Amino acid sequence: LDIGTRRVLGWNAGAHLDQTLALGALTQALALRQPGAGWVHHSDRGVQYASGAYQAVLRRHGAIGSMSRVGNCWDNAVVESFFATLKTELVHRAHWPTRAAARRALTAWIDVWYNCQRRHATLGYRSPLAYERALAQRRIA
């Protein structure tokens, strides 16, 4: 999640929460953004983010690692807010017969609704994609 634009850059879903799952999301985000050295990667202290393989990818891509302090949810508030929204708007309202069906619903919710259409008060009531486009226009002007 880009904290500035609220856009979901990379995500993954699977049967187990492990480094492979997290690495898939990170790889997707890196392919989309291709950040230069010095970007900040913030996460909680989950073992998937602290794993050697995950940390190695961050180093290779010039990230500055930042992890929440134990018991401090405020460090990760933007991401926690995203997950609360996801649960409220999608997860708690649905039942999927298969993981494949759940993945399709997540894809539609994130890639079509959340990133492209859902308005955010913190973005001047624009979607993450509309906000990014406005930023790009300002850079050009």
Side-chain angles (χ1 to χ4, degrees):
L1 186 73
D2 182 313
I3 197 166
T5 67
R6 303 302 199 263
R7 183 174 177 187
V8 176
L9 302 175
W11 67 275
N12 204 353
H16 303 287
L17 182 58
D18 59 16
Q19 75 177 13
T20 304
L21 191 69
L23 280 167
L26 178 61
T27 300
Q28 188 181 46
L30 290 169
L32 180 64
R33 275 293 197 257
Q34 301 175 354
W39 62 282
V40 177
H41 176 278
H42 184 76
S43 70
D44 62 23
R45 293 185 173 272
V47 295
Q48 67 275 26
Y49 306 117
S51 72
Y54 196 90
Q55 291 297 312
V57 171
L58 291 177
R59 280 191 302 277
R60 270 198 314 276
H61 289 274
I64 297 167
S66 168
M67 286 190 166
S68 298
R69 295 177 303 278
V70 174
N72 191 340
C73 64
W74 302 112
D75 286 350
N76 221 21
V78 173
V79 173
E80 295 298 335
S81 176
F82 165 77
F83 281 119
T85 300
L86 171 66
K87 290 174 185 176
T88 300
E89 294 182 4
L90 178 69
V91 175
H92 294 311
R93 295 178 178 203
H95 173 76
W96 300 285
T98 64
R99 281 195 174 92
R103 181 177 270 285
R104 284 191 300 275
L106 283 166
T107 299
W109 190 86
I110 292 170
D111 295 338
V112 178
W113 170 246
Y114 187 86
N115 279 343
C116 299
Q117 297 173 15
R118 190 179 189 285
R119 296 183 218 190
H120 297 257
T122 57
L123 303 177
Y125 294 96
R126 289 175 280 189
S127 71
L129 198 55
Y131 187 78
E132 284 186 359
R133 288 182 180 142
L135 287 176
Q137 287 296 334
R138 275 193 285 185
R139 285 187 199 117
I140 292 171

